[in-house]
Amino acid sequence: LYKCRGMIEKDFNSRSEVINWIIDTQLNRRNILPNIRSYLMGKRYKEEKKEHGGDRNSFDEASRNIDESRANTLPLKTAEKIADQTKVSHQTVKNAEKFTEAVDTIAKTTGINPQKILSSDAKATQNSIHQQTSIFTRYFVLKSLSIDA
């Protein structure tokens, strides 16, 4: 087999692990644009949230009786874990997920590549992207109900 110089082989157990590794690699770049950073954080949160879904109530019931000394050993929620890794607040991670959903909605409804939406050439801010998503959502809901916008 021909191997490129500097290439390292990695083994992954799932497609989700591969996606998260790619996202982590991109997030660790120094010259990443803020919009792209938010988008990738949101993607990572969505991917990891899928993996860890399930019944949290049974865990919460058990955790109510745990004393303060053991409280630090409880597993972090997905947003908190990603927030620690990226050195932002957990709320920033949750906001990034909303931003990611907004970009993906615009990309899906317009056919524009998400990279183009996020590029510095587009000059789109996070607020403008959220506003556009609201407009698109309203338009398509009204259109599906056959009501004039």
Side-chain angles (χ1 to χ4, degrees), residues 8-26:
I8 300 170
E9 258 186 61
K10 295 198 172 279
D11 292 322
F12 298 99
N13 295 324
S14 67
R15 184 176 194 277
S16 182
E17 281 185 23
V18 173
I19 291 169
N20 286 338
W21 181 83
I22 292 168
I23 290 171
D24 287 343
T25 302
Q26 292 302 310

Side-chain angles (χ1 to χ4, degrees), residues 79-126:
E80 292 168 350
K81 178 182 161 193
I82 294 170
D84 286 345
Q85 291 171 348
T86 56
K87 296 176 180 54
V88 297
S89 73
H90 71 282
Q91 190 59 49
T92 301
V93 174
K94 290 179 179 182
N95 290 341
E97 179 191 28
K98 291 176 188 171
F99 177 66
T100 299
E101 288 171 354
V103 170
D104 289 344
T105 299
I106 292 172
K108 187 176 180 181
T109 55
T110 63
I112 299 172
N113 187 326
Q115 289 178 336
K116 201 165 207 140
I117 296 168
L118 297 169
S119 74
S120 59
D121 295 340
K123 293 183 174 59
T125 64
Q126 290 188 24

